[in-house]
Amino acid sequence: MIQTALLLSLLAAVLACVVPLTEPSLLAQEAHASWAMLVALALCQLLWYWRGNRLARVTTLPLALILGAMLTSYLMPEHWISVATFNNWADHLVPGSDIDNWRPPLLELAALMTLTLGLLSRTRANLGVPLLQVLAALLLLADTCLQVVGNDFAPLVRRGSFYTGSLLALLLLAQFIGVVQGWRHTHQSLTRALWPSAILAVVTIAFWYQQSHLADTKLHQSVDVRYERMAERLTTEINAHVTAMRRFADFWGILDRPPEDEEWRAQAERYYRDFRYFLNIAYINEGGEIAYVYPRDPANTSLIGMNIEESQRPYSDRLARALKQRTEEQTGVLPLLQNVPGLIYYLPINSHQGGNALGVAVMVVGLPLLADTLYHEGHFDRVRLYLGLLNGDAPLKEWHVSGTPGPWRVESDVIFGHVTLTLVAQPNRELLLSERSRQPSVSLTMGLILTYLLYLVLFGRHQMALQHRSVHRSNEELRREVRKRTQLQSEIEWLAGHDELTGAPNRRHFLRAVQERAEQTPLTVLLCDIDHFKSINDQLGHQAGDHTLVRLASIGQQLTPSEGLFARYGGEEFVVLLPRTNEHRGMAIAERLREGVLTSGLEHADGRPVTISIGVAVHSEGTLKVEELLHKADLALYEAKHAGRNQARLASINQTTADGRDT
């Protein structure tokens, strides 16, 4: 699998480097950043599968930092670092470039980031590699959907290219093939964590789609409203200057006489100073001749004496109507004598007393000069906003800007009396990006981060649950083993102190009990022996002998007082320990044991009852010597045997053995 991943990574690296050289059309200028990061990722991935982790990590980590810096440029608030600042930095690096030439589209950038992080994390499912690959696939799919939908959905959202998207998919496939085998041992935790995280990722991308569309729609509406208001302000300004021209004409009608040259100049100078887009302000007498004109520059002075009605100028009939019918007249847009397009207003000067016509006040408005004056007086972004004043399709004045034009062109009507012009406004991409909300990009980034954290939490929780269950099983097994060992230890301890055949305490247990109760004097010991036990084994078999031993042990334990101890001393011999028991009570207990065995129903082969002989010894004072006490009991037992068996004998104080030795 690693070899397959290596070959696919090599293929992606070769295609990324060779195809743009053979088919330059596949790589537009705005895709250069995507291509550069793609080539770097392909080489890092190739190096990873070829040379191993350490060297590849040295090259991949800087790539991740670069991609992180690019992602930060999408999230940075405008008042921290503006789009204009980013563009200035880009222009200093490569003249004529902007920030979009130095960063991939957002979805491609996020896919590059997830693939790079997946490369750094290798096969480790606990670090979220499966989710990173799922995120990369979803981001590439979302970018493909954007390419299919087109620019109408969110015009300011940049799309990736089919070329870079295909190579990223190839690198993703190589990563998946290279690591999928490492997930087998964690497939349960992976499945538990991957599905909820993938659903959250889909919701995050869908939310980003919706937010991007909403942000662009709101910005478009804002642009429309803003520049329609600009046209309204321009129309208002035009109406203001028309009102001012009416006041100018009415001023001469109040005087009830034609103006003098100096009077005309003084009055016209004030209006010209306020409205600098007036090319000239002229007075035409009743005969249609230009009598006065302001300003008195050579071009305007040459017009004095010209008869407008006879000059065959366009719209000369409007002057005739103003003189004869005393109505305000206005030309359409026409080429002026100053070689600029403009409008001419004819305002009749009517006597307020006699009512007769005193002439016509003519005001010539240069439309380019009017537009330029309003443009410089307005609060417009003169670097990033294209404005144009058009008469139909013919531009009267245009203000071009640098940078990439924005996707929206706002056309609004500007009304000059009965002439309607068109004001065109088109902000460039930099201006729109500076005003566009960063919320969609922040939402996408934070959503993907939360998706990653959710995966880590779910994966870690399930792994901990598995480990907890494993530890619980181990603890249960350990507890069972401890119980078993405790039981075995108890059995061993019991076997160490008891006879396995009869279940009675053994000699070791008896000797330990004698030492523990040495102070409980008088201390009496009964040493019991089965009479003719060998004949039972020989004539009835060892099973009968074992049965006899077991039955005798049961009878002895039943007849021994609770404070005493009945034990098997060895072979067919049993011993009884009676603390705080004198010789009289000891002999009574011995007789009771003897009678109990005699009447138990145990028989020899010839039908005779099984009997026992008992030797009784008592320790009353002094230091207890167990060997001496048992020896006395043994001598008393010997005496009982010698006297005919089936009886109990008490050891005397100066008892001697058969050979005459003192005991």
Side-chain angles (χ1 to χ4, degrees):
M1 303 297 284
I2 297 297
Q3 292 181 348
T4 303
L6 176 62
L7 291 176
L8 289 176
S9 301
L10 178 61
L11 177 61
V14 171
L15 291 176
C17 295
V18 174
V19 172
L21 299 178
T22 58
E23 293 291 337
S25 59
L26 293 176
L27 196 63
Q29 182 179 359
E30 58 271 14
H32 286 173
S34 297
W35 172 77
M37 295 298 102
L38 176 62
V39 171
L41 177 61
L43 294 177
C44 288
Q45 186 163 317
L46 180 62
L47 185 62
W48 194 285
Y49 289 116
W50 183 30
R51 288 296 185 184
N53 295 352
R54 181 172 299 179
L55 180 59
R57 185 175 289 109
V58 172
T59 57
T60 307
L61 186 58
L63 176 61
L65 295 177
I66 293 173
L67 292 172
M70 291 179 174
L71 181 61
T72 303
S73 68
Y74 279 101
L75 311 177
M76 192 72 66
E78 179 70 12
H79 61 277
W80 287 8
I81 302 180
S82 64
V83 176
T85 302
F86 280 122
N87 286 340
N88 288 334
W89 292 347
D91 186 65
H92 284 307
L93 293 174
V94 176
S97 65
D98 57 26
I99 185 60
D100 285 339
N101 299 126
W102 290 89
R103 63 184 182 185
L106 181 59
L107 292 181
E108 274 195 356
L109 177 58
L112 283 164
M113 177 66 79
T114 55
L115 287 177
T116 303
L117 294 177
L119 199 60
L120 287 172
S121 303
R122 291 295 287 161
T123 62
R124 301 179 64 180
N126 63 322
L127 292 182
V129 174
L131 177 66
L132 291 173
Q133 295 188 359
V134 170
L135 290 180
L138 292 175
L139 290 167
L140 292 176
L141 179 61
D143 189 65
T144 303
C145 293
L146 277 181
Q147 297 176 36
V148 173
V149 171
N151 288 332
D152 292 337
F153 177 76
L156 291 178
V157 176
R158 295 175 59 212
R159 279 77 169 159
S161 67
F162 175 77
Y163 164 68
T164 55
S166 300
L167 292 183
L168 283 173
L170 186 59
L171 290 175
L172 172 60
L173 178 61
Q175 283 195 21
F176 176 77
I177 292 175
V179 301
V180 66
Q181 286 186 339
W183 300 339
R184 289 178 297 181
H185 64 286
T186 58
H187 70 279
Q188 291 183 350
S189 299
L190 192 153
T191 303
R192 292 285 186 88
L194 192 58
W195 282 111
S197 302
I199 292 173
L200 179 58
V202 171
V203 172
T204 297
I205 295 175
F207 182 72
W208 174 81
Y209 262 88
Q210 188 269 341
Q211 289 294 308
S212 297
H213 175 68
L214 182 62
D216 281 11
T217 301
K218 286 185 176 180
L219 185 58
H220 190 185
Q221 293 173 351
S222 174
V223 168
D224 285 345
V225 170
R226 184 188 313 166
Y227 298 120
E228 285 175 359
R229 288 178 179 174
M230 182 188 299
E232 292 174 359
R233 287 198 300 270
L234 187 58
T235 299
T236 301
E237 179 70 19
I238 293 168
N239 292 332
H241 89 248
V242 172
T243 301
M245 288 189 294
R246 291 194 185 103
R247 289 198 299 268
F248 180 81
D250 289 342
F251 173 78
W252 301 112
I254 294 173
L255 293 180
D256 197 28
R257 61 177 176 81
E260 299 292 336
D261 186 11
E262 288 302 319
E263 292 175 338
W264 181 267
R265 183 193 63 78
Q267 192 68 17
E269 182 179 10
R270 297 189 183 94
Y271 281 83
Y272 183 80
R273 187 168 56 246
D274 293 336
F275 303 98
R276 299 304 301 270
Y277 41 81
F278 287 165
L279 294 180
N280 60 58
I281 303 175
Y283 169 68
I284 299 179
N285 58 27
E286 294 104 324
E289 294 182 354
I290 299 177
Y292 313 128
V293 65
Y294 187 88
R296 295 182 178 180
D297 54 37
N300 288 332
T301 304
S302 64
L303 300 177
I304 296 176
M306 177 183 295
N307 192 307
I308 299 299
E309 293 182 337
E310 298 176 357
S311 64
Q312 301 300 317
R313 293 282 297 166
Y315 301 103
S316 58
D317 59 320
R318 305 294 171 88
L319 173 61
R321 287 205 297 268
L323 287 172
K324 296 175 182 179
Q325 299 179 13
R326 303 178 186 179
T327 59
E328 292 183 6
E329 298 294 334
Q330 170 193 342
T331 67
V333 179
L334 76 163
L336 301 176
L337 297 176
Q338 290 83 357
N339 295 320
V340 293
L343 296 171
I344 301 177
Y345 287 89
Y346 299 105
L347 301 169
I349 302 175
N350 299 316
S351 173
H352 282 211
Q353 296 181 3
N356 57 315
L358 301 177
V360 175
V362 180
M363 295 186 179
V364 180
V365 179
L367 292 177
L369 185 59
L370 169 64
D372 197 52
T373 300
L374 296 179
Y375 177 78
H376 288 289
E377 291 178 355
H379 299 286
F380 310 130
D381 193 319
R382 302 172 188 177
V383 178
R384 301 180 292 184
L385 174 64
Y386 163 82
L387 282 177
L389 187 63
L390 281 68
N391 179 29
D393 295 332
L396 301 176
K397 180 68 176 180
E398 291 182 297
W399 294 269
H400 295 281
V401 295
S402 60
T404 305
W408 301 309
R409 180 183 175 95
V410 182
E411 297 183 358
S412 306
D413 292 337
V414 179
I415 299 174
F416 283 80
H418 59 268
V419 175
T420 301
L421 303 180
T422 303
L423 179 67
V424 178
Q426 186 175 17
N428 69 2
R429 183 177 176 83
E430 178 185 311
L431 178 58
L432 293 175
L433 288 179
S434 67
E435 298 176 353
R436 188 177 187 268
S437 172
R438 304 291 195 274
Q439 181 181 349
S441 300
V442 174
S443 299
L444 178 64
T445 304
M446 295 305 298
L448 295 181
I449 293 175
L450 290 176
T451 299
Y452 182 75
L453 294 178
L454 175 63
Y455 173 89
L456 294 182
V457 170
L458 294 178
F459 185 90
R461 183 175 180 272
H462 190 259
Q463 284 289 97
M464 290 180 64
L466 291 178
Q467 293 176 5
H468 177 73
R469 287 196 290 269
S470 177
V471 171
H472 181 71
R473 287 194 298 268
S474 299
N475 289 339
E476 285 296 324
E477 293 176 359
L478 182 60
R479 280 193 287 268
R480 285 195 296 269
E481 185 67 22
V482 169
R483 286 195 296 268
K484 184 177 179 180
R485 288 178 178 271
T486 302
Q487 183 179 358
L488 290 174
Q489 182 68 26
S490 299
E491 292 177 359
I492 291 173
E493 292 178 355
W494 187 86
L495 289 174
H498 293 75
D499 177 54
E500 186 175 3
L501 175 62
T502 63
N506 60 12
R507 181 174 182 173
R508 179 184 302 169
H509 190 170
F510 171 78
L511 294 176
R512 185 170 62 249
V514 172
Q515 294 292 344
E516 291 174 353
R517 302 180 183 184
E519 302 297 328
Q520 299 177 11
T521 58
L523 188 67
T524 300
V525 173
L526 281 61
L527 187 61
C528 309
D529 184 81
I530 301 175
D531 297 329
H532 304 294
F533 181 73
K534 185 175 183 300
S535 64
I536 297 176
N537 284 332
D538 293 342
Q539 297 174 9
L540 299 178
H542 287 281
Q543 289 184 347
D546 290 345
H547 174 70
T548 300
L549 293 173
V550 171
R551 183 67 186 278
L552 192 147
S554 176
I555 295 171
Q557 289 177 331
Q558 291 176 3
L559 297 178
T560 299
S562 59
E563 68 274 10
L565 176 68
F566 183 88
R568 184 180 180 185
Y569 196 68
E572 69 275 16
E573 290 185 333
F574 292 85
V575 65
V576 181
L577 175 65
L578 299 171
R580 295 189 177 91
T581 302
N582 57 26
E583 59 270 17
H584 299 292
R585 187 165 180 264
M587 286 298 294
I589 294 173
E591 283 297 323
R592 189 167 58 191
L593 285 173
R594 185 190 64 77
E595 291 178 0
V597 174
L598 180 64
T599 60
S600 65
L602 295 173
E603 296 178 347
H604 288 274
D606 56 2
R608 290 180 297 111
V610 174
T611 60
I612 62 172
S613 297
I614 304 173
V616 181
V618 180
H619 168 72
S620 299
E621 56 185 12
T623 302
L624 174 64
K625 295 182 180 180
V626 179
E627 295 83 1
E628 292 182 1
L629 182 62
L630 290 173
H631 185 59
K632 289 181 180 180
D634 186 54
L635 292 177
L637 175 63
Y638 177 79
E639 184 178 341
K641 291 280 188 182
H642 188 70
R645 297 182 173 85
N646 189 27
Q647 58 185 283
R649 287 298 178 93
L650 177 65
S652 63
I653 299 176
N654 295 317
Q655 179 134 22
T656 59
T657 62
D659 55 3
R661 293 177 297 169
D662 291 335
T663 60

